[in-house]
């Protein structure tokens, strides 16, 4: 391994404070939403490495808010969704979060996608008692002292790493080479894969590269000299394109597998069908057979939905239902009630409008979403996730 990413809570807080120095600080008491519209926020990647997913995540949140407002609102108030672009960049994410917290006074920040953004923004959330409903997968995020102001619907990286180790085992791999950029979850993923693979006598070699480089040929040449039979590409879409092209030029003949969030249809288009032919992707999949998934299909008028669109839909439903359960529109109310709206003994619901009505009648509810059951551990991790293996054939990403 060439280098390691080391991030401490102190540096995170210092960075967040420095980035927010230009924003006026408001007393904490002024942030509570006691009157006027109930404000919740989507902090999504409309641009940058996650830009392929942010627009649909925001759209799915808007459908939830529009439905609730059309049905009369929540607690006698309208709901306002405020969307900010984090640019898939932690500095931009912190600036946007400070605006959402200090100026817009939102109760929840939803669908934070990149782990680097989630890691940078979460301290602002817990210090200001704002709930974060995230996608960010790095294991280290849940281990921060967030005081419960954090849940995520995306499987954490240790779970995802296990899937790549399983792929290596199932395909009879002898030597797995892992190439990843520096991220908050890189070290955890590599460690998890190595532990599982080595227990099965599979050799693992890893390299952490600089994702800002426009060519990774020297890194690929170093990989080629070790003659692995399987290569894992663990980056985001832009650097995955660079890496895939260099792997093709180096005439690598082994299996290639990567995260689905980096190997997207835009990745295939950017790298080319010939370059990407036969590559595998691993992704957590939404609950395609659920009523919530079917409902969201109709709302968005789409036949197929990616997991991030579904998670965005679930975040908005969960935040509003937790507020309805608490009868209070604050981040603390969401934190204290988000698990209560997933009561297995309650009436199953797949949308906020039906759930709000049942809660007003004094009934218990069990929200089950488009991305899955949406049940969380004590530190905020999602409990239940299903993964799927895909393969790229003739320029299309298909279930393997």
């Amino acid at each position: 391994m060439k280098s390691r990413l080391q991030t401490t809570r102190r540096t995170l807080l210092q960075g967040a404070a420095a980035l927010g120095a230009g924003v006026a600080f408001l007393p904490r008491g002024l942030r509570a939403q006691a009157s006027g519209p109930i404000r919740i926020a989507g902090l999504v990647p409309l641009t940058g490495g996650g830009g392929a997913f942010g627009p649909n995540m925001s759209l799915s949140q808007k459908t939830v808010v529009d439905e609730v407002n059309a049905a009369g609102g929540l607690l006698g108030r309208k709901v306002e969704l405020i969307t900010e672009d984090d640019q898939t960049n932690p500095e931009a994410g912190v600036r946007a979060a400070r605006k959402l917290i200090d100026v817009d006074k939102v109760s929840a920040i939803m669908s934070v996608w990149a782990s680097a953004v989630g890691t940078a923004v979460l301290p602002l959330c817990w210090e200001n008692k704002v709930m974060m409903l995230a996608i960010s997968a790095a294991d280290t995020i849940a281990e921060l002292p967030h005081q419960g102001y954090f849940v995520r619907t995306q499987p954490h990286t240790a779970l995802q790493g296990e899937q790549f180790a399983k792929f290596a085992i199932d395909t009879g791999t002898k030597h797995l080479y892992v190439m990843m950029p520096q991220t908050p979850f890189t070290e955890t993923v590599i460690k998890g894969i190595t532990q599982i693979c080595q227990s099965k006598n599979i050799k693992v070699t890893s390299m952490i590269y600089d994702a800002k480089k426009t060519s990774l040929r020297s890194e690929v040449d170093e990989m080629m000299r070790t003659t692995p039979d399987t290569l894992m590409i663990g980056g985001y879409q832009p650097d995955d394109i660079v890496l895939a092209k260099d792997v093709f030029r180096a005439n690598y003949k082994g299996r290639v597998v990567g995260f689905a969030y980096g190997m997207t249809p835009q990745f295939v288009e950017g790298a080319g069908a010939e370059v990407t032919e036969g590559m595998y992707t691993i992704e957590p999949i939404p609950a395609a057979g659920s009523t919530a998934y079917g409902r969201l299909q109709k709302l968005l008028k789409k036949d197929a939905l990616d997991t991030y669109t579904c998670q965005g839909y679930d975040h908005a439903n969960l935040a509003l239902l937790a507020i309805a359960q608490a009868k209070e529109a604050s981040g603390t109310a969401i934190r204290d009630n988000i698990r209560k709206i997933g009561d297995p003994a309650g009436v199953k619901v797949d949308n906020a409008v039906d759930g709000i009505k049942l809660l007003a009648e004094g009934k218990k509810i069990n929200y089950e979403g488009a991305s899955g059951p949406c049940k969380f551990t004590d530190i905020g991790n999602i409990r239940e996730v299903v993964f799927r293996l895909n393969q790229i054939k003739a320029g299309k990403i298909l279930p393997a």
Side-chain angles (χ1 to χ4, degrees):
M1 187 181 301
K2 281 190 168 180
S3 62
R4 292 173 182 269
L5 179 67
Q6 293 183 336
T7 306
T8 66
R9 178 176 177 272
R10 175 175 294 179
T11 55
L12 289 172
L13 292 174
Q14 288 173 338
L19 288 165
V23 180
F25 179 80
L26 297 178
R28 181 168 297 167
L30 295 181
R31 296 193 182 102
Q33 293 187 17
S35 61
I38 294 171
R39 294 193 179 103
I40 57 175
L43 181 58
V44 297
L46 299 177
T47 56
F53 304 112
N56 281 334
M57 290 153 58
S58 179
L59 184 60
S60 67
Q61 293 167 354
K62 183 176 182 299
T63 64
V64 175
V65 171
D66 287 348
E67 280 199 317
V68 169
N69 283 332
L74 176 57
L75 306 181
R77 299 156 64 182
K78 287 194 66 174
V79 178
E80 184 177 347
L81 173 68
I82 302 169
T83 301
E84 293 288 341
D85 179 12
D86 67 23
Q87 302 175 34
T88 326
N89 177 286
E91 293 184 357
V94 166
R95 286 195 295 271
R98 291 235 63 119
K99 181 256 186 185
L100 292 170
I101 293 170
D102 293 336
V103 179
D104 298 315
K105 305 181 184 69
V106 300
S107 300
I109 291 179
M110 307 179 295
S111 304
V112 179
W113 187 78
S115 290
V117 178
T119 303
V121 169
L122 185 53
L124 298 177
C125 288
W126 84 63
E127 290 197 331
N128 291 281
K129 303 186 185 305
V130 171
M131 189 69 190
M132 177 190 283
L133 297 95
I135 292 173
S136 311
D139 294 84
T140 51
I141 298 177
E143 295 165 2
L144 293 171
H146 54 71
Q147 302 166 39
Y149 289 95
F150 170 80
V151 295
R152 60 179 157 204
T153 46
Q154 179 79 349
H156 57 94
T157 46
L159 284 178
Q160 297 193 46
E162 290 176 4
Q163 298 303 309
F164 286 95
K166 182 177 183 298
F167 176 84
I169 295 168
D170 291 346
T171 55
T173 295
K174 303 297 183 186
H175 180 192
L176 172 65
Y177 201 104
V178 181
M179 298 183 73
M180 295 185 68
Q182 289 186 329
T183 72
F185 56 83
T186 297
E187 185 178 344
T188 304
V189 169
I190 293 174
K191 182 179 179 182
I193 291 173
T194 302
Q195 287 178 339
I196 296 173
C197 285
Q198 288 184 342
S199 71
K200 300 294 183 181
N201 297 317
I202 298 172
K203 180 181 178 181
V204 178
T205 307
S206 61
M207 174 191 293
I208 299 176
Y209 61 81
D210 181 356
K212 296 179 181 178
K213 294 179 69 172
T214 56
S215 172
L216 293 166
R217 184 55 192 262
S218 61
E219 288 83 352
V220 169
D221 287 344
E222 183 176 332
M223 177 274 293
M224 292 289 290
R225 285 192 287 273
T226 68
T227 63
D229 52 351
T230 298
L231 169 64
M232 174 188 162
I233 293 177
Y236 291 111
Q237 182 181 299
D239 47 298
D240 274 3
I241 292 174
V242 174
L243 186 53
K245 287 181 176 178
D246 284 334
V247 168
F248 180 77
R249 295 187 187 107
N251 199 30
Y252 177 70
K253 298 298 184 183
R255 289 176 288 269
V256 178
V257 61
F259 291 107
Y261 63 72
M263 298 169 75
T264 61
Q266 291 81 4
F267 160 79
V268 177
E269 182 179 355
E274 185 178 8
V275 169
T276 58
E277 180 67 21
M279 291 184 176
Y280 294 91
T281 74
I282 294 175
E283 66 173 337
I285 57 173
S290 68
T291 59
Y293 185 93
R295 199 168 189 281
L296 186 57
Q297 281 180 305
K298 293 178 181 176
L299 287 169
L300 298 183
K301 299 178 181 177
K302 292 179 179 290
D303 293 332
L305 304 171
D306 65 67
T307 184
Y308 305 120
T309 302
C310 294
Q311 290 181 57
Y313 175 78
D314 289 338
H315 292 168
N317 279 311
L318 288 165
L320 297 182
L321 287 171
I323 289 172
Q325 169 79 32
K327 298 181 174 57
E328 178 187 329
S330 70
T332 301
I334 297 172
R335 179 195 68 175
D336 294 343
N337 289 275
I338 198 163
R339 290 170 177 80
K340 296 178 182 177
I341 58 173
D343 187 341
V347 180
K348 181 180 174 181
V349 296
D350 59 18
N351 68 90
V353 172
D354 290 348
I356 290 169
K357 181 180 179 182
L358 289 166
L359 290 170
E361 295 171 355
K363 297 178 180 176
K364 295 180 179 178
I365 64 168
N366 178 22
Y367 178 75
E368 294 198 352
S371 65
C374 297
K375 305 299 186 286
F376 306 102
T377 67
D378 290 343
I379 62 171
N381 285 331
I382 191 74
R383 289 185 180 276
E384 186 178 329
V385 181
V386 177
F387 289 88
R388 182 175 65 200
L389 179 68
N390 304 311
Q391 190 171 24
I392 302 172
K393 295 180 178 178
K396 295 183 178 180
I397 302 173
L398 304 169

